[in-house]
Amino acid sequence: MTQTQPVSSTTPAVPRGFLLPCLRCGELGALTLRLDSMTEDDAIHCPECDADYSLSDAQETVAAWSALLAWVQLAPPLREKAQFGSWPRPAA
Ligand SMILES: [Zn+2]
């Protein structure tokens, strides 16, 4: 079991938080989250572009990116840069 450090007024503040981009405008660190109703369509608000969207919207975006990134991982490594006009490559 780990012990937690007591918080005191002499303890330097460690910045904490989530530096996430807005799904609409890309602004970093501007998003606000409604703590009173996180399941609403306007649970996330961006004051930069005045967009409201839901956590489900964010989850769909993350799922789409996750699928793309998983697919990219399946690509074979390139041994050398392919050149147009040399496919198929002549035997060495
Ligand atoms: Zn925005």
Side-chain angles (χ1 to χ4, degrees), residues 39-85:
T39 58
E40 297 294 326
D41 288 344
D42 64 347
I44 301 170
H45 177 72
C46 175
E48 286 297 312
C49 68
D50 203 31
D52 293 313
Y53 42 91
S54 67
L55 288 172
S56 293
D57 294 333
Q59 192 165 21
E60 287 175 16
T61 299
V62 170
W65 274 102
S66 295
L68 173 66
L69 293 173
W71 179 76
V72 166
Q73 290 298 313
L74 298 175
L78 294 178
R79 296 201 176 131
E80 61 189 64
K81 192 172 187 175
Q83 303 270 327
F84 281 112

Side-chain angles (χ1 to χ4, degrees), residues 22-27 31 46-51 53:
C22 171
L23 296 181
R24 305 292 189 258
C25 74
E27 182 70 20
L31 299 176
C46 175
E48 286 297 312
C49 68
D50 203 31
Y53 42 91

Side-chain angles (χ1 to χ4, degrees), residues 1-32:
M1 188 150 140
T2 58
Q3 286 191 324
T4 56
Q5 294 291 325
V7 178
S8 73
S9 61
T10 59
T11 303
V14 176
R16 295 180 186 275
F18 300 93
L19 191 60
L20 297 171
C22 171
L23 296 181
R24 305 292 189 258
C25 74
E27 182 70 20
L28 277 174
L31 299 176
T32 61

